[in-house]
Amino acid sequence: MNPTEGNGPGVHDWAVVPLPDTTFDPLPHRLLREEPVARVRLPHGEGHAWLVTRYEDVKSVSADPRMSRALTVGRPITSMTPHTLAPAGGVGRADPPDHTRLRKLIAPTFGRRRMTALREHTERMAGALALSTLRTGPPADLAETFVGPLSATVIAELLGVPAADLDRVEAWRAGVLSHDTTAAEGESVKKEIAGYFADLARHRAAHPGDDLVSELAAAREAGGISTPELVSMTVMLTLNGLDAVRNIVSTMVYVLLVHPEQTAKLRADPARLPRAVDELLRFIPQRGGVGMPRVATADVEVGGVTIREGEAVFVFYPAANRDPGVYTDPDRLDLDRDEAPHLAFGHGAHYCAGAQLARMEAEVMLGTLLDRFPGLALAVPPDQVAWRVGTVNRGPETLPVTW
């Protein structure tokens, strides 16, 4: 890709191109090595923004209080989708102290004590789903019969979303996270979601349960959170639990099945699983493009480049996870790798709130599959696995397997 003419020197067009399996997007892969702080123009929005790809620079920008999420509200910053995924006023587009206040409200939900109890429940559900799949017999689509249902049930129970409403929420997920959804369509879907979760919060305020929406509804009654903030929080967690976890774990299964020599080592020593999950998180490019931008509130030097006050900046965590200055042979999967911590869940104040949940689900699902399906293999050649297109999060559309 060549620098774009007419939009300033050295501005690179970055198109949304569907990529199969774990193929890394060629533009950020090249910029990481040749121009780690570069200007890019994405398919939607206006102008251009900085793209930061090197590991230490990504960490620096992500943790810098001079890089604001709140200042993105109301600005048509160049982006991957026609509509803005994160609503204004939500935790994803907040700066301290508002961001700190909101994160404290959900911290107990994702704490170690609750995750331990949830893990035991998730293991039981995983065992039941595995048994059902075994009884039905091969071939099976693990994305539809195992990974998808389990991730949806876990996040629904954690938040307090009734199981009967999951199909409706799934339809909203598909609309919001599509590159093809227009700005008007995106706003319409987000309005429906907001109405649903506002109604659910009102119901939980009157009929509380042991779930996050009930806790947030109580916090709202006490003045600790507004209704728009509550809605944004629950929407973000639900969509990530439904979409991001399903895609990343399905991709993990695919990667293990196309690396049988490494998977054999993992089967022989299940204690390796936590480290293997971290390496899979590092290795797999989870997104099609970038996430939320930031806006500089002052001139900031990053990697020898001055980002001016008011300019928009994206960090690209998948590229940072492939930084050759940090990882040995970074484009190679190595389940025994023990190097710098990956940045798959972000860094700094906006580190993924559900990181522990996602890691737990991945460990439980992979551990269950390795234990219950000793002969697990793809039912089709790798190049015949269908991958999702036109969506924010990458992953297999279907994952046909046999055993």
Side-chain angles (χ1 to χ4, degrees):
M1 298 182 184
N2 296 318
T4 303
E5 295 180 2
N7 197 28
V11 179
H12 303 268
D13 273 326
W14 189 4
V16 181
V17 178
L19 298 167
D21 55 68
T22 56
T23 303
F24 207 90
D25 195 306
L27 178 62
H29 193 272
R30 177 172 65 82
L31 292 178
L32 169 64
R33 290 156 174 80
E34 299 177 5
E35 194 180 350
V37 183
R39 290 185 175 94
V40 296
R41 185 171 62 185
L42 303 169
H44 304 283
E46 298 178 6
H48 59 262
W50 291 99
L51 179 70
V52 179
T53 51
R54 196 161 48 191
Y55 186 92
E56 292 299 336
D57 295 339
V58 165
K59 288 180 63 179
S60 174
V61 169
S62 301
D64 194 326
R66 296 171 296 176
M67 294 292 181
S68 169
R69 285 279 187 87
L71 290 181
T72 65
V73 176
R75 291 187 53 172
I77 296 170
T78 187
S79 66
M80 304 299 295
T81 57
H83 63 100
T84 304
L85 297 180
V91 66
R93 303 178 78 182
D95 297 330
D98 285 336
H99 181 267
T100 307
R101 168 178 56 85
L102 295 172
R103 286 293 292 256
K104 282 183 177 178
L105 290 173
I106 63 173
T109 297
F110 297 98
R112 182 173 298 178
R113 183 175 179 179
R114 194 156 192 175
M115 285 300 102
T116 298
L118 185 59
R119 186 185 190 109
E120 295 173 356
H121 181 47
T122 305
E123 287 172 345
R124 290 192 294 271
M125 289 191 292
L129 280 171
L131 182 59
S132 175
T133 302
L134 285 166
R135 285 174 174 168
T136 302
D141 177 4
L142 282 186
E144 287 294 325
T145 65
F146 185 77
V147 179
L150 186 56
S151 57
T153 301
V154 168
I155 195 63
E157 291 185 357
L158 188 68
L159 267 71
V161 176
D165 293 345
L166 275 177
D167 285 347
R168 186 162 38 147
V169 177
E170 279 277 10
W172 288 329
R173 171 200 63 78
V176 169
L177 297 175
S178 171
H179 287 159
D180 299 324
T181 299
T182 66
E185 291 168 341
E187 291 307 312
S188 176
V189 172
K190 283 185 285 189
K191 186 176 180 179
E192 287 186 45
I193 299 175
Y196 171 82
F197 278 102
D199 289 343
L200 180 61
R202 282 191 287 270
H203 177 75
R204 292 293 185 222
H207 307 281
D210 183 20
D211 56 72
L212 180 58
V213 172
S214 295
E215 294 171 6
L216 293 178
R220 183 184 61 182
E221 295 300 310
I225 188 172
S226 68
T227 295
E229 289 171 338
L230 183 154
V231 168
S232 173
M233 185 85 73
T234 51
V235 169
M236 175 193 71
L237 293 171
T238 302
L239 294 181
N240 282 336
L242 287 174
D243 197 81
V245 173
R246 172 193 169 119
N247 281 293
I248 191 62
V249 177
S250 295
T251 306
M252 286 179 175
V253 176
Y254 169 86
V255 169
L256 289 177
L257 294 182
V258 297
H259 291 82
E261 71 294 339
Q262 296 207 47
T263 306
K265 294 179 182 179
L266 190 55
R267 287 186 185 278
D269 184 8
R272 296 174 180 229
L273 185 57
R275 179 181 291 183
V277 166
D278 276 329
E279 169 63 356
L280 288 162
L281 286 165
R282 182 202 69 83
F283 177 78
I284 294 169
Q286 301 174 27
R287 294 184 61 92
V290 288
M292 284 290 297
R294 293 167 170 83
V295 172
T297 62
D299 289 358
V300 180
E301 184 173 320
V302 180
V305 175
T306 299
I307 295 174
R308 299 296 181 188
E309 179 182 355
E311 291 186 319
V313 187
F314 288 98
V315 296
F316 193 52
Y317 296 115
N321 285 335
R322 299 290 187 96
D323 189 338
V326 175
Y327 300 103
T328 304
D329 197 3
D331 295 327
R332 178 176 61 87
L333 179 73
D334 179 2
L335 298 186
D336 290 324
R337 188 184 296 274
D338 186 16
E339 295 180 295
H342 65 76
L343 301 180
F345 293 122
H347 184 72
H350 288 276
Y351 182 83
C352 177
Q356 288 296 97
L357 175 65
R359 182 179 280 109
M360 179 275 287
E361 290 185 73
E363 290 181 9
V364 168
M365 284 191 256
L366 294 182
T368 300
L369 292 172
L370 292 171
D371 178 56
R372 301 291 187 92
F373 298 81
L376 191 66
L378 289 176
V380 298
D383 60 2
Q384 291 184 21
V385 173
W387 292 81
R388 299 179 68 183
V389 298
T391 59
V392 171
N393 294 314
R394 294 173 59 179
E397 187 72 42
T398 60
L399 189 60
V401 298
T402 188
W403 55 88

